[in-house]
Amino acid sequence: MSPAFYVLAPIMVIAALGILFVRKAVHAALLLAVVMISLAILYAVLEAPFLFAVQIIVYTGAILMLFLFVLMLVGVDASDSTVETIRGQRVLAVIAGLVLGVLLLLGLSQIALGTVVGLEEANSGGNIQGLANILFSRYVFAFEVTSALLITAAMGAMVLAHRERLTPKATQASLAAQRVRDYAEKGEHLGPLPAPGVFARHNAVDTPALLPDGTASALSVSRVLAARGTVRSAPALADDIEEVQRSLGGVPGGAGSAADTSAGSGHNTERGTGVPPSQVDDPSEEGDR
Amino acid sequence: MYLLSDAGHVPVVAPTGADGIYSLMWLVVALPLLGSAVLLLGGRFTDRWGHLLGTAMPIGSFVISLLMFVDLLGRDEADRQVGQHLYDWIDVGSLHIGMDLLYDPLSALFLLLITGVGSLIHVYSIGYMAHDPRRRRFFGYLNLFVAAMLMLILAENYLGLFLGWEGVGLASYLLIGFWQHKPSAAAAAKKAFVMNRVGDIGLALAIALMFVTFGTTSFSGVSALAGGASENTLTAIGLLLLLGACGKSAQVPLQAWLLDAMEGPTPVSALIHAATMVTAGVYLVVRSNFIFELAPHAQTVVVIVATVTLLWGAVLGCAKDDIKKVLAGSTMSQIGYMMLGAGLGTAGYAFAIFHLLTHGFFKANMFLGAGSVMHGMNDDVDMRRYGAVRHAMPVTFLTFAMGYLAIIGFPGFSGFWSKDKIIETALAENWLVGVLALLGAGVTGFYMTRLMLLTFFTEKRWKDDVHPHESPGVMTFPLIVLAALSVLSGVLLLGDWIVDWLSPVVGHAEHHEPPIPALAVTGLAVLVVAVGVAIAWFLVGKREVALTPPEDVSFVTRAARRDLYGDDINDTLVVRPGGALTRALVRLDSSGVDGVMAGGPAQVAGIAGFLRRAQNGFVRTYALSLLGGVLLVVLALLAVNLT
Amino acid sequence: MDDVTPYIILSSILFTIGCVGVLTRRNAIVVFMCVELMLNACNLALVAFAKQHGNLDGQVAAFFVMVVAAAEVVVGLAIIMTIFRTRRSASVDDASLLKY
């Protein structure tokens, strides 16, 4: 028994249990990545170098990244509430899980595995060559069926993700007219959204722009950042700025005016650096904007 | 023939084929049936001429009956039974029943009575119902009634008879409840129907027993085979037939419906009481003579029932103030006489039929007369508010008087001959029964005289806004005809004609010498009746008549006013126990049977309701049950592995 | 040559955790991750058994499981996205109309 197992096994169990308890899906995905990479190492220990590579590349690299992509599309701020809505579900699930675990272990205790043969002989010609020999001889039919399965899955994913356009594509002119109409009817802000405050020291998309009266403009920061709670308060930043100015040794107003101009330019050139709410909800509309 | 000689004096019905005029026999039934079908199905289109069609149909039947009768008169005595096979009615397994008709001396007389009196009542109804908006429907029902009765009379087997029997029950229900807007009429119709059903059960069982015993229900078959059956079986059949007859003929204990049946229009009362319904029971007993002759015990019961009924009806007649109810009580009493005659056996059958005929005439006469009086008195039926009507309605009075003299048995009138013969025969058979019959005659004299006095004599007691007037000719004509028949129909007894005429059907009686000479019996009867009349004269005619019935009367009078507690007896003996039983059964049914029946589904529903919660649509719940299944499988695998 | 039993035990534990995760989490994507966890646990067992028996069939099976998992994830995530698009929710509890 290699020491790697004893190091990795507790990590994997803890990470797996973490998946059960973390509230945010992103954290769950990262914990899953921990489990998977650990698994890959265990594969290597178990004399399966090919699967080690595949686990890293396909699972951790592709599948898990796919999860993260979808999470991003769905909204990273989407988090579960911890309140169970179905009565008794959680208790029953835990009990059933425990029983299952006990039963599995009980079953394991009933069998005698005997001496481990080891893969030295099978891997003598190289692990990948050995796998290829089996794959393209004994399992060639299953392999071909797998290709059909993958093609089908790709087709299915495309069909599911595809959305038929039911209305004509809005032109620039009609969008502008719509915006004016919205302003007339609902009083929506006609111009672009305010850009977040941009300070020299930060790539400060998490800092709201200040309105002329000195209050922060909620519109200027991304909704996602607001949901994460990582928006910084403008007055605190102002203190930072003054501190910076003091440390720089008194260039009065210089940084402040620079910030103002850059903010102003950002205001004019780009409408809403922060992701508009609709874009967070519905990524497919991104092309329309 | 061997059976015949073995059975002694039971005549066998053996009809010959129908030809000549007899081939029209089926029309006798078919014509009124067609009439009722046209009137009832034709709806309002027939309103204008419906009553004329309805009257023409029974008259047509009467003409055919008369022609057949005349033809039958010319035949030999042995050749007087004519059968007509119309079609195979029921042909299942060993049950072969044809729609057969039988025309013999007995049915010949009945046909004449029914179609004749029935036609007169139809004519009368044209006038009586002239102002009723539903007259056409009334005639449709009347035709149905006549058709059913004719079917009853003409059928050659008991099942055909039963068909007519039930038809009569239906038609009587429709007619008694004709003014169904009156709750009392609706209740009376229901009462008549239900009580008739009780009797019908008896008849149905009797027919079933006959089929089981003899394998046939035709008169010819049963009469030929009756001698071979055990006496107990025959007694049972006889008693069941009697039950049926009691229901139809309003004999004790099924008498209670008759008085209530007066709720129907007066022509209906006349039709029920004179020509059709109530005579059906007498007809049934006489027709089944081949059974009763071989079942003496059943015959004894018939006599007992008849004697009780004739006194019961007479007592009721004494106490009622409603003119129609008095007549109804007298009908019950007179039917009792007929049943008595029928129960006396071969010696009495002919006289029972004879009295039935004469009664048919004079009772129809009196009922129609009473209807005429009511017609003139604004449909008031209380005799205490009549009085001295004879001046206003001379024709009605005179014809009614003929009926009155006939029913009390005034010498020379028809009732005298017929009733006297029955009393005479009864005395010869059993002195107690005879004396009771004699007593009944006296009571009859009393209550009929009371009715006469209250209605036509004594001082006028009607109010000023009542203007008695003679009825139109269409109503008085039938009265006159019937009055003539009431007086004259005694001629049928001339030279014992009717006894000879009926002998092929009911057999010849060897003549018993009565304990006292016939002439003495006659004299005695006249004397008893005279006493009854005299009592009535002194009690009613000589006194002031109160407008409301006096309250301080004897127990007997109170009892008689309440129909001798007939309804109370039924109520106590049948209705209340029946109601209690029904309620108990309902409880048992709803709690026990329904409980068991509904319990299972309720359990299933409960389980389903419980399981339904598992189907909550949440995929995680389904996944949980999936895991449960996995656990079971793993457990099973482990269990297999461990063992 | 060391024993593979600890690997199997680890595999069982991971599988059980995956199971409970599927049953308790409501975010469809996390539920999916738990399914992946269960698949991976199986893979571990397969690889361990391959070593136990000294042939590569177990590894081939694990390889196939990965392929199938990839296909499943693609389609599954597409479905989740479609549902999210129409219902504005990735909770598995919200898609409960099948009971009607």
Side-chain angles (χ1 to χ4, degrees):
Chain A
M1 188 57 55
S2 70
F5 178 80
Y6 294 106
V7 175
L8 289 176
I11 296 175
M12 288 168 72
V13 172
I14 289 167
L17 284 173
I19 296 176
L20 296 186
F21 295 112
V22 295
R23 289 185 61 195
K24 292 184 179 168
V26 179
H27 297 170
L30 294 176
L31 287 170
L32 188 60
V34 171
V35 177
M36 283 179 172
I37 292 171
S38 309
L39 264 180
I41 297 169
L42 287 187
Y43 289 166
V45 172
L46 287 170
E47 299 173 71
F50 176 68
L51 284 181
F52 163 75
V54 170
Q55 176 80 8
I56 297 281
I57 297 166
V58 173
Y59 247 118
T60 322
I63 295 180
L64 212 55
M65 288 313 114
L66 197 59
F67 270 107
L68 287 174
F69 264 112
V70 172
L71 268 179
M72 187 193 75
L73 295 178
V74 167
V76 283
D77 57 326
S79 59
D80 267 353
S81 90
T82 50
V83 180
E84 178 58 62
T85 46
I86 308 174
R87 196 157 56 88
Q89 171 80 12
R90 188 171 285 171
V91 176
L92 283 176
V94 171
I95 291 173
L98 287 177
V99 171
L100 179 66
V102 169
L103 284 180
L104 288 176
L105 295 180
L106 194 66
L108 275 180
S109 72
Q110 295 295 315
I111 53 173
L113 285 172
T115 325
V116 174
V117 177
L119 287 169
E120 279 84 8
E121 195 186 342
N123 279 346
S124 57
N127 177 255
I128 296 175
Q129 284 82 351
L131 277 177
N133 275 335
I134 299 177
L135 203 53
F136 292 107
S137 56
R138 196 187 300 166
Y139 295 107
V140 68
F141 182 70
F143 185 78
E144 294 300 331
V145 170
T146 310
S147 66
L149 175 71
L150 286 173
I151 293 281
T152 313
M155 292 286 292
M158 280 193 278
V159 168
L160 284 169
H162 177 70
R163 249 205 324 197
E164 202 73 33
R165 175 173 289 284
L166 300 172
T167 51
K169 189 175 162 83
T171 61
Q172 196 75 31
S174 69
L175 281 174
Q178 181 63 43
R179 188 176 288 182
V180 174
R181 248 202 315 281
D182 284 349
Y183 174 69
E185 289 166 6
K186 292 177 255 176
E188 268 181 25
H189 182 58
L190 187 59
L193 290 172
V198 178
F199 296 95
R201 224 182 69 174
H202 294 271
N203 177 21
V205 284
D206 59 350
T207 309
L210 293 180
L211 292 172
D213 59 353
T215 54
S217 167
L219 287 174
S220 63
V221 286
S222 162
R223 203 174 60 88
V224 177
L225 296 181
R228 276 190 197 150
T230 54
V231 178
R232 306 184 61 161
S233 67
L237 267 179
D239 293 344
D240 284 353
I241 293 164
E242 282 175 8
E243 193 184 335
V244 168
Q245 282 174 341
R246 268 198 303 279
S247 64
L248 288 177
V251 185
S257 65
D260 279 350
T261 48
S262 72
S265 70
H267 204 278
N268 289 336
T269 51
E270 199 184 349
R271 179 182 165 256
T273 316
V275 183
S278 63
Q279 235 165 321
V280 174
D281 293 339
D282 198 346
S284 66
E285 288 178 10
E286 202 163 8
D288 298 346
R289 295 271 168 191
Chain B
M1 278 302 110
Y2 172 78
L3 268 178
L4 177 63
S5 56
D6 188 42
H9 46 274
V10 178
V12 174
V13 179
T16 55
D19 50 0
I21 182 72
Y22 301 109
S23 56
L24 294 178
M25 200 191 297
W26 63 277
L27 272 178
V28 175
V29 181
L31 280 178
L33 198 62
L34 176 73
S36 79
V38 168
L39 290 183
L40 294 179
L41 298 179
R44 256 177 256 153
F45 300 107
T46 58
D47 267 352
R48 288 185 53 194
W49 43 268
H51 54 283
L52 298 178
L53 177 79
T55 311
M57 287 305 171
I59 291 176
S61 292
F62 175 68
V63 169
I64 297 173
S65 304
L66 199 63
L67 290 174
M68 291 199 297
F69 179 67
V70 170
D71 191 84
L72 201 67
L73 275 177
R75 285 202 174 195
D76 288 339
E77 189 174 309
D79 200 22
R80 280 181 183 164
Q81 290 179 336
V82 185
Q84 186 179 28
H85 176 75
L86 297 181
Y87 55 87
D88 288 332
W89 185 18
I90 298 173
D91 193 7
V92 197
S94 60
L95 183 65
H96 307 287
I97 293 171
M99 186 54 84
D100 293 335
L101 302 181
L102 170 68
Y103 187 77
D104 65 358
L106 179 61
S107 34
L109 290 180
F110 265 95
L111 283 197
L112 286 178
L113 176 71
I114 293 164
T115 55
V117 176
S119 301
L120 288 172
I121 291 172
H122 275 75
V123 172
Y124 178 90
S125 301
I126 295 176
Y128 190 84
M129 301 295 283
H131 305 298
D132 196 306
R134 293 157 75 229
R135 178 168 69 167
R136 182 256 319 159
R137 187 190 297 248
F138 181 76
F139 273 87
Y141 292 159
L142 278 188
N143 273 4
L144 181 63
F145 203 151
V146 170
M149 193 66 198
L150 291 171
M151 181 68 224
L152 195 162
I153 298 302
L154 276 177
E156 202 274 331
N157 53 54
Y158 278 98
L159 211 64
L161 182 143
F162 192 66
L163 178 70
W165 192 271
E166 292 298 313
V168 168
L170 167 69
S172 70
Y173 170 77
L174 293 170
L175 283 170
I176 293 171
F178 184 71
W179 286 325
Q180 74 260 70
H181 53 84
K182 289 199 295 185
S184 58
K190 270 189 284 185
K191 189 174 180 182
F193 198 69
V194 170
M195 298 204 76
N196 267 295
R197 291 284 79 70
V198 177
D200 294 347
I201 291 171
L203 183 56
L205 287 177
I207 293 171
L209 196 53
M210 265 182 236
F211 179 70
V212 169
T213 312
F214 306 116
T216 174
T217 63
S218 70
F219 295 145
S220 52
V222 175
S223 62
L225 297 171
S230 75
E231 193 182 318
N232 286 341
T233 313
L234 289 171
T235 305
I237 295 175
L239 289 177
L240 288 168
L241 286 175
L242 177 64
L243 180 63
C246 280
K248 236 4 144 216
S249 292
Q251 302 293 294
V252 175
L254 297 178
Q255 85 291 356
W257 65 271
L258 191 71
L259 264 64
D260 288 355
M262 292 301 112
E263 289 293 340
T266 306
V268 174
S269 307
L271 200 56
I272 288 179
H273 285 222
T276 53
M277 190 159 170
V278 291
T279 60
V282 181
Y283 171 79
L284 182 67
V285 175
V286 174
R287 172 59 84 193
S288 309
N289 60 76
F290 39 78
I291 288 172
F292 282 101
E293 281 303 309
L294 298 173
H297 295 302
Q299 240 173 354
T300 310
V301 177
V302 173
V303 170
I304 294 170
V305 165
T307 312
V308 171
T309 308
L310 81 86
L311 289 173
W312 189 294
V315 172
L316 291 192
C318 297
K320 294 290 174 183
D321 292 329
D322 181 332
I323 185 171
K324 283 174 73 181
K325 292 207 168 167
V326 174
L327 289 175
S330 89
T331 301
M332 198 190 289
S333 174
Q334 300 303 314
I335 300 286
Y337 277 106
M338 295 170 211
M339 287 299 257
L340 178 60
L344 291 174
T346 316
Y349 290 133
F351 301 129
I353 299 302
F354 180 40
H355 191 55
L356 195 152
L357 291 174
T358 57
H359 173 259
F361 296 137
F362 62 67
K363 187 49 68 65
N365 174 18
M366 284 195 290
F367 259 114
L368 297 184
S372 179
V373 171
M374 287 159 55
H375 200 65
M377 305 291 288
N378 288 3
D379 286 333
D380 194 349
V381 292
D382 192 346
M383 292 191 297
R384 288 183 186 274
R385 291 197 287 271
Y386 289 171
V389 181
R390 67 180 187 279
H391 304 298
M393 300 180 170
V395 179
T396 304
F397 164 64
L398 284 174
T399 53
F400 200 98
M402 298 303 117
Y404 160 71
L405 292 174
I407 193 172
I408 65 170
F410 193 80
F413 285 72
S414 61
F416 167 74
W417 305 106
S418 55
K419 200 190 287 181
D420 184 56
K421 275 293 175 191
I422 290 177
I423 294 172
E424 195 179 300
T425 317
L427 273 173
E429 290 281 329
N430 184 315
W431 67 268
L432 179 63
V433 174
V435 167
L436 289 176
L438 206 56
L439 186 65
V443 181
T444 306
F446 170 76
Y447 66 74
M448 286 313 296
T449 311
R450 175 172 173 269
L451 185 149
M452 265 322 261
L453 292 174
L454 285 175
T455 305
F456 293 103
F457 295 95
T458 64
E459 77 282 14
K460 99 174 178 54
R461 292 182 302 278
W462 69 76
K463 301 217 174 58
D464 288 339
D465 56 342
V466 179
H467 304 288
H469 54 85
E470 190 52 82
S471 300
V474 74
M475 284 167 71
T476 50
F477 164 72
L479 288 178
I480 294 166
V481 174
L482 286 169
L485 286 169
S486 306
V487 177
L488 299 175
S489 55
V491 300
L492 291 178
L493 196 65
L494 273 184
D496 278 350
W497 176 82
I498 192 162
V499 178
D500 294 338
W501 172 255
L502 287 175
S503 62
V505 183
V506 299
H508 266 298
E510 58 271 39
H511 195 66
H512 283 292
E513 197 54 44
I516 34 179
L519 206 60
V521 173
T522 310
L524 199 60
V526 171
L527 187 67
V528 169
V529 169
V531 169
V533 170
I535 293 173
W537 172 254
F538 286 113
L539 284 184
V540 181
K542 285 292 199 183
R543 288 190 193 175
E544 191 83 0
V545 179
L547 272 179
T548 51
E551 293 299 325
D552 53 338
V553 290
S554 66
F555 166 77
V556 180
T557 315
R558 274 203 301 276
R561 279 187 188 156
R562 292 203 59 178
D563 301 349
L564 287 178
Y565 301 114
D567 283 340
D568 303 78
I569 292 168
N570 286 345
D571 215 35
T572 315
L573 288 184
V574 181
V575 177
R576 278 199 219 126
L581 180 68
T582 311
R583 277 190 294 279
L585 285 177
V586 166
R587 262 202 303 282
L588 179 70
D589 185 55
S590 55
S591 61
V593 179
D594 285 5
V596 172
M597 284 299 120
Q603 291 292 318
V604 174
I607 293 169
F610 178 71
L611 289 178
R612 189 168 55 85
R613 282 194 235 152
Q615 297 291 329
N616 55 6
F618 293 125
V619 72
R620 291 190 293 139
T621 309
Y622 302 153
L624 185 61
S625 50
L626 194 66
L627 180 59
V630 169
L631 290 182
L632 287 181
V633 172
V634 174
L635 262 178
L637 286 174
L638 276 180
V640 170
N641 199 37
L642 284 176
T643 50
Chain C
M1 207 42 65
D2 47 15
D3 196 8
V4 296
T5 311
Y7 292 96
I8 311 297
I9 293 172
L10 177 64
S11 164
S12 304
I13 292 170
L14 290 179
F15 186 87
T16 306
I17 292 172
C19 264
V20 176
V22 168
L23 295 178
T24 52
R25 298 306 300 257
R26 263 175 294 167
N27 190 325
I29 297 168
V30 180
V31 170
F32 237 117
M33 289 178 196
C34 293
V35 173
E36 294 304 315
L37 186 61
M38 289 160 75
L39 289 170
N40 274 309
C42 292
N43 275 356
L44 180 60
L46 286 172
V47 174
F49 283 130
K51 174 159 181 173
Q52 166 74 28
H53 294 293
N55 60 34
L56 292 173
D57 289 21
Q59 292 190 12
V60 172
F63 175 69
F64 280 128
V65 168
M66 284 183 194
V67 174
V68 171
E72 175 227 337
V73 163
V74 167
V75 176
L77 287 178
I79 290 172
I80 289 171
M81 256 188 57
T82 314
I83 291 175
F84 184 81
R85 214 186 263 157
T86 53
R87 310 181 67 92
R88 297 273 143 209
S89 161
S91 169
V92 287
D93 285 358
D94 288 349
S96 64
L97 286 177
L98 211 61
K99 68 178 165 181
Y100 295 113

